[in-house]
Amino acid sequence: MEIQTFFLALEVRQRGPGDYTAVTACISQFSPPDGEFPLQVRLPYLMLLRRSSQEQTETFTLRFDLIDEDGRLIGAPSNVQASGSFPADHKSLLLSGHIFFVFPLPGCYRLDITADEEVSAHLYSYDLEIGAGSSV
């Protein structure tokens, strides 16, 4: 299984099965409105997963980690895991949810998402730049 697409947004609405609308999609730069750190923010995401076989229902796990520019695990999420399953007869699966972030200081970060680490791990990284100014 692999993560084909992932993005953070200000809002993700599900209008029906497999039908989502994202408001201000692909957020990658923001700052705390009050300039205070640590910045704590909960952001919605939309993700497209894909697998090679569609013959049977298959479970999967995802692990979310916030990494600083030196490659260290920092803040939140830290080893947050989610699990789900692909229904039989589907190669693709759209997921939406929320991630709670804690950014200790301004700087460059990345969100690492590891898919099926116990089977054949697939790593997806999403870069984030957190400033000291104002606006999320």
Side-chain angles (χ1 to χ4, degrees):
M1 183 193 65
E2 68 178 353
I3 299 166
Q4 284 203 323
T5 303
F6 172 89
F7 64 80
L8 297 171
L10 288 183
E11 183 179 351
V12 174
R13 292 183 214 131
Q14 185 173 9
R15 300 181 332 178
D19 186 2
Y20 292 87
T21 300
V23 177
T24 312
C26 303
I27 293 174
S28 62
Q29 299 177 353
F30 57 92
S31 302
D34 58 6
E36 298 290 320
F37 283 90
L39 169 61
Q40 298 182 20
V41 62
R42 186 174 179 222
L43 293 172
Y45 68 85
L46 188 60
M47 177 186 312
L48 177 64
L49 302 175
R50 182 155 176 86
R51 65 180 179 161
S52 57
S53 171
Q54 65 185 36
E55 296 170 9
Q56 61 189 17
T57 299
E58 181 180 355
T59 61
F60 62 86
T61 59
L62 300 169
R63 188 182 78 225
F64 298 88
D65 292 301
L66 186 63
I67 308 296
D68 71 7
E69 57 193 329
D70 294 324
R72 296 179 303 222
L73 190 63
I74 193 165
S78 176
N79 196 30
V80 171
Q81 295 190 7
S83 60
S85 64
F86 272 94
D89 298 328
H90 288 78
K91 279 190 163 183
S92 298
L93 181 65
L94 268 172
L95 292 177
S96 70
H98 289 82
I99 299 174
F100 178 71
F101 288 94
V102 176
F103 299 97
L105 298 167
C108 295
Y109 297 87
R110 73 174 195 261
L111 175 65
D112 281 355
I113 308 167
T114 307
D116 281 336
E117 60 187 312
E118 290 143 20
V119 180
S120 57
H122 174 80
L123 179 67
Y124 188 97
S125 294
Y126 188 90
D127 292 328
L128 294 158
E129 187 176 328
I130 309 305
S134 63
S135 80
V136 167

